[in-house]
Amino acid sequence: MGYACLRECLADLEAQGQLKRVDAELDPCLELAAVQRRAFRAKAPALLFTRVKGTRFPMLANLFGTRERLRYIFRDSLATVDAVLAARADPAAAMRRPWRSLKALPGLFHMLPRMAQGGSAPVLECRCALADLPRLTCWPHDGGPFVTLPLVYTEDPRKPGLDASNLGMYRVQLAGNAYAADEAGLHYQIHRGMGAHHAAALALGQALPVHVYVGGPPALSVAAVMPLPEGLSELRFAGLLGGRRTAVARDAALPLPVLAQADFCISGHLLPGLKPEGPFGDHLGYYSLRHDFPVLKVRAVHHRRDAIWPFTTVGRPPQEDTVFGDFIHELTAALVPQMFEGVREVHAVDAAGVHPLLLVLGSERYTPYEARRRPRELLTAALHLLGTTQTALAKYVLLAAHEDAPGLSARDTPGFLRHMLERADFSRDLHFLTRSTGDTLDYTGSGLHEGSKLIWASAGEKRRELGLELTSAPDLPDGFCGPRVAGPGLLVLRGPAHSLGRGEPDPRLEELARVFASWPGREAFPLLAVVDDPEFCAASLENFLWTVFTRSDPATDSYGANARIRARHWACDAPLLLDARLKPFHAPPLEEEPAVARRAEALAAPGGPLHGCY
């Protein structure tokens, strides 16, 4: 049986030595976030801060900080989750072998939300003001304090009820900018379920009621970030994963059902009009800047008597949300072939910021009679992936055919890239969507929510041996220098600082592409990147992936030989050159304040309250 509330989970973790209490007073402005990041990197226990400056509520960090702890928390239900999702992925197999699906039966029961016993809801026991809540600020240039593990609940006003509800993890700014004392910023990104509910409310001329929960059974947090198939609500999945039915209650003063075992409930409705929200240090490793987003008019803040405020920090991967991502990949692997015809495996690469780079292992079966195989079915799969669920936010979509390498996995990032580069024929393999929707947090495109996409699909025999070291280099144009090998077939070099406007092609990059098109060593290095710091970029594959794919827009930052128009055509042996310099219009990378970093290190020194944790 899973945990009924957060307190039960923490008591269990503490008994297992997986939670440490910190009684020293710490500041939620920058200091706690710096501690949390170090605790995550050290694979430390969960940390419960009992004295937090400016608030009476304890704060919890690093709850999901290790894969082992996440699996421990859900140890009693993982087999049931696997059985339910496997049956959903292949119903015919489940019917042929019903005895193998017996493990799914308890899970089906747990997926039914229940009314809290006696209609009571611990989350409604007490009330406080919005200003009483912890004011967590994670990065120096954040626009104010944020809720970093919010559970935002809405319902479709056209068909209210739990089954048409949405529970999402959307950014909530508690103060700063132009917010009044009873207002909070609500930043939901593109391609999110809450957007459809808000659109329906606007069409009906109604205010959209919203509940923002914090804390509660850990299964709620995982469910809120799951890319669930159509028809499976987050509340049902939370019951399945948590091993007990999700408890809800009704209160006459509130327009929405109440998640009874949450720690906090901020209730209100979205106001007409928008207000500036942000900046905020985000999971790509940069600040998302200030933009107009909806405003939550807060009517009440409720909390449990023993309420605990869980939090995390996002930034350049890996962070705590990396563990979430790996866990989600594991849980949903069986559903991928059902959701996407011809797709065997997908991998949103965390090191590249998740959405910028999607690796896909598919099938290539459309024309088995062709003497020379080429991508055909892979293109159909790519368009499907870009047309539904959160894979629609992918910017670079790289697809390989399972038939070319039966042992290949999309989870093996170095092996997958090598496979693609060995087979690349850029005269046929690259397909651009030049004006499309983009991740709200990605500033490389043509505007907010806008950008381009590149489908790179390769199939067929190996075409080349990839270079592992640079024995010679072409004479580079003025301003370019320092070529480095970043991996098999990967070359990076320093370029002059970017000074052009958004979307303007750079003649210097055009010239550089022509130089490499005639370079005798071009076949060994099919992918080139111009960066600000080639030494950093080449130091590890993670550095390469983060730099190149978070700082480039496919349509405007791709260069190659024989390009006639911006949707380019390459000679098959000409390298693909990506402009991955930081542009003037990009959001800046995240950096800690030196004084805060020194304080976080001192807390873990001998004699400090966090000695031995990181």
Side-chain angles (χ1 to χ4, degrees):
M1 184 69 78
Y3 307 112
C5 62
L6 183 58
R7 283 276 181 180
E8 282 191 8
C9 175
L10 299 189
D12 185 21
L13 292 179
E14 190 168 26
Q16 299 298 319
Q18 295 191 55
L19 179 138
K20 177 180 173 64
R21 293 174 182 265
V22 182
D23 295 327
E25 185 178 63
L26 271 73
D27 195 332
C29 182
L30 303 181
E31 187 172 73
L32 279 182
V35 167
Q36 186 273 333
R37 288 190 287 270
R38 285 160 175 78
F40 169 76
R41 289 197 294 266
K43 298 188 175 181
L47 301 175
L48 182 62
F49 301 96
T50 59
R51 292 176 57 210
V52 179
K53 188 175 180 180
T55 182
R56 65 179 182 271
F57 298 110
M59 295 181 69
L60 173 69
N62 210 37
L63 176 62
F64 306 110
T66 69
R67 183 185 181 92
E68 293 75 20
R69 185 153 57 249
L70 194 59
R71 291 187 64 84
Y72 177 81
I73 290 171
F74 301 115
R75 63 195 180 280
D76 294 335
S77 59
L78 286 178
T80 303
V81 173
D82 288 343
V84 170
L85 294 184
R88 185 182 180 97
D90 193 347
M95 294 181 67
R96 288 194 303 270
R97 303 179 182 86
W99 60 91
R100 293 187 179 181
S101 301
L102 292 177
K103 289 182 180 179
L105 295 179
L108 297 178
F109 173 71
H110 293 148
M111 292 174 72
L112 302 173
R114 65 174 181 85
M115 292 303 295
Q117 188 173 2
S120 63
V123 71
L124 299 180
E125 290 174 336
C126 306
R127 295 186 65 160
C128 68
L130 196 64
D132 296 329
L133 299 177
R135 297 298 180 100
L136 179 76
T137 305
C138 297
W139 295 100
H141 301 299
D142 283 357
F146 284 83
V147 186
T148 57
L149 285 175
L151 306 170
V152 182
Y153 181 87
T154 57
E155 293 184 356
D156 189 332
R158 298 163 299 189
K159 44 181 180 179
L162 299 178
D163 278 338
S165 66
N166 178 254
L167 187 72
M169 197 167 282
Y170 310 126
R171 205 161 81 202
V172 178
Q173 183 174 346
L174 291 177
N177 295 341
Y179 298 124
D182 60 349
E183 293 178 350
L186 187 47
H187 173 132
Y188 63 81
Q189 294 165 244
I190 197 167
H191 289 296
R192 296 299 196 268
M194 183 181 174
H197 292 175
H198 194 193
L202 291 173
L204 294 171
Q206 300 175 1
L208 181 69
V210 178
H211 282 180
V212 179
Y213 297 99
V214 181
L220 290 172
S221 295
V222 178
V225 296
M226 282 287 292
L228 295 173
E230 194 69 28
L232 178 57
S233 77
E234 290 83 6
L235 295 188
R236 291 188 184 278
F237 184 81
L240 171 64
L241 180 62
R244 63 168 65 219
R245 299 168 68 187
T246 301
V248 297
R250 291 281 182 180
D251 186 279
L254 298 175
L256 294 172
V258 175
L259 299 184
Q261 293 292 344
D263 283 67
F264 296 86
C265 175
I266 305 170
S267 56
H269 63 270
L270 293 188
L271 292 170
L274 309 172
K275 284 190 176 182
E277 184 267 359
F280 180 69
D282 232 310
H283 74 264
L284 289 178
Y286 307 87
Y287 286 97
S288 54
L289 302 180
R290 185 176 298 161
H291 296 285
D292 288 346
F293 277 95
V295 181
L296 179 68
K297 179 75 170 181
V298 177
R299 291 296 181 89
V301 180
H302 292 88
H303 64 88
R304 305 172 65 107
R305 294 187 188 279
D306 57 355
I308 293 171
W309 185 275
F311 73 94
T312 190
T313 304
V314 291
R316 182 196 162 182
Q319 301 286 348
E320 191 173 1
D321 55 353
T322 299
V323 181
F324 268 113
D326 288 343
F327 191 59
I328 289 169
H329 269 296
E330 179 183 336
L331 292 178
T332 59
L335 292 174
V336 168
Q338 178 203 28
M339 296 173 67
F340 304 108
E341 177 68 26
V343 174
R344 302 173 67 94
E345 187 182 19
V346 298
H347 177 204
V349 181
D350 181 72
V354 181
H355 293 313
L357 179 60
L358 185 69
L359 307 183
V360 182
L361 188 63
S363 297
E364 192 52 67
R365 304 163 297 184
Y366 280 2
T367 52
Y369 49 82
E370 287 187 336
R372 187 173 181 180
R373 298 173 64 252
R374 60 185 299 151
R376 297 189 189 280
E377 185 179 1
L378 292 177
L379 300 181
T380 302
L383 294 172
H384 190 183
L385 286 159
L386 289 174
T388 186
T389 73
Q390 291 186 31
T391 58
L393 293 174
K395 185 167 61 172
Y396 290 89
V397 184
L398 277 57
L399 302 98
H402 162 73
E403 292 78 9
D404 292 336
L408 184 65
S409 170
R411 301 287 295 170
D412 175 13
T413 303
F416 193 95
L417 289 177
R418 183 165 194 151
H419 175 93
M420 294 293 293
L421 292 166
E422 287 174 340
R423 286 160 178 77
D425 177 351
F426 292 136
S427 67
R428 68 170 195 195
D429 291 351
L430 303 182
H431 308 269
F432 290 87
L433 282 71
T434 56
R435 294 189 63 85
S436 182
T437 55
D439 186 355
T440 304
L441 309 178
D442 191 327
Y443 282 80
T444 61
S446 53
L448 188 67
H449 314 304
E450 297 177 0
S452 66
K453 300 181 185 297
L454 172 60
I455 297 169
W456 171 0
S458 287
E461 297 296 323
K462 178 178 173 179
R463 298 174 52 86
R464 63 177 59 81
E465 294 293 332
L466 300 179
L468 301 177
E469 59 182 21
L470 191 63
T471 56
S472 65
D475 292 331
L476 299 174
D478 290 344
F480 297 94
C481 63
R484 298 282 190 279
V485 176
L490 303 173
L491 196 64
V492 296
L493 65 155
R494 189 187 310 276
H498 195 286
S499 59
L500 300 174
R502 190 182 294 274
E504 290 186 59
D506 192 335
R508 299 171 297 182
L509 271 293
E510 299 278 8
E511 181 185 0
L512 183 67
R514 287 191 291 270
V515 168
F516 274 102
S518 59
W519 177 44
R522 64 186 179 276
E523 269 288 293
F525 293 98
L527 182 58
L528 314 177
V530 178
V531 299
D532 300 301
D533 187 346
E535 292 81 5
F536 168 83
C537 194
S540 67
L541 181 61
E542 290 75 16
N543 286 359
F544 176 86
L545 294 171
W546 180 66
T547 301
V548 172
F549 293 104
T550 63
R551 298 188 182 186
S552 62
D553 173 71
T556 57
D557 291 328
S558 297
Y559 294 82
N562 298 345
R564 297 178 183 175
I565 56 175
R566 294 303 292 169
R568 300 174 182 282
H569 300 277
W570 278 267
C572 65
D573 61 347
L576 168 62
L577 190 154
L578 295 177
D579 182 4
R581 296 171 292 173
L582 194 65
K583 283 73 169 180
F585 44 85
H586 285 180
L590 303 176
E591 293 182 353
E592 288 183 340
E593 285 187 354
V596 173
R598 289 192 296 270
R599 167 69 173 157
E601 298 294 342
L603 290 168
L610 290 167
H611 178 57
C613 283
Y614 55 85

